[in-house]
């Protein structure tokens, strides 16, 4: 059954053009790393690519004034979000709510690759360690 969640006639285009930017080089042998601020392409979210081949390694503890959604593309990660610890594998999604300190690390074996969606048109972060 096809989806019909809203009436398309009720939404008017806002005049923004489609846009494109390079987040990472998919041909590179190294883990993907990069970021695109939403403001650079006229969008409401900022997108990061993060990868590491080293178990135990990941971003330091930090916090944002907006939600962050993590998509595990490859490997296994351990997320520390406030008082919670969540393990996630390729194909799973984790939410870091606004104002809640968080970090994650590669559980191994092998490469961890994530796509991190910052619910803001620009990347705003305070490192806590």
């Amino acid at each position: 059954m096809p989806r019909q969640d809203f009436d398309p006639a009720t939404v008017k285009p806002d005049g923004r053009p489609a846009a494109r930017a390079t987040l990472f080089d998919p041909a590179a042998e190294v883990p993907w790393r990069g970021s695109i601020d939403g403001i650079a392409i006229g969008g409401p979210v900022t997108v990061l690519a993060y990868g590491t081949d080293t178990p135990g390694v990941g971003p330091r503890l930090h916090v944002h004034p907006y939600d962050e959604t993590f998509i595990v593309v490859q490997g296994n990660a351990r997320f520390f979000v406030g008082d919670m610890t969540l393990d996630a594998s390729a194909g799973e999604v984790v939410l870091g709510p606004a104002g809640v300190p968080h970090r994650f690390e590669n559980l191994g074996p092998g490469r961890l690759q994530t796509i991190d969606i910052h619910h803001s048109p620009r990347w705003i972060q305070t490192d806590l360690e």
Side-chain angles (χ1 to χ4, degrees), residues 61-85:
L61 185 69
H62 61 276
V63 66
H64 309 284
Y66 49 76
D67 290 347
E68 183 174 10
T69 301
F70 305 93
I71 304 165
V72 180
V73 176
Q74 179 181 353
N76 301 291
R78 176 160 290 149
F79 288 85
F80 303 90
V81 183
D83 294 335
M84 294 186 69
T85 302

Side-chain angles (χ1 to χ4, degrees), residues 8-59:
T10 64
V11 178
K12 302 251 187 264
D14 64 11
R16 289 178 297 156
R20 180 179 71 187
T22 300
L23 181 60
F24 60 85
D25 177 1
E29 295 294 322
V30 298
W32 306 335
R33 293 279 180 101
S35 65
I36 300 291
D37 280 345
I39 202 163
I41 59 172
V45 299
T46 294
V47 180
L48 280 67
Y50 178 84
T52 181
D53 288 328
T54 308
V57 171

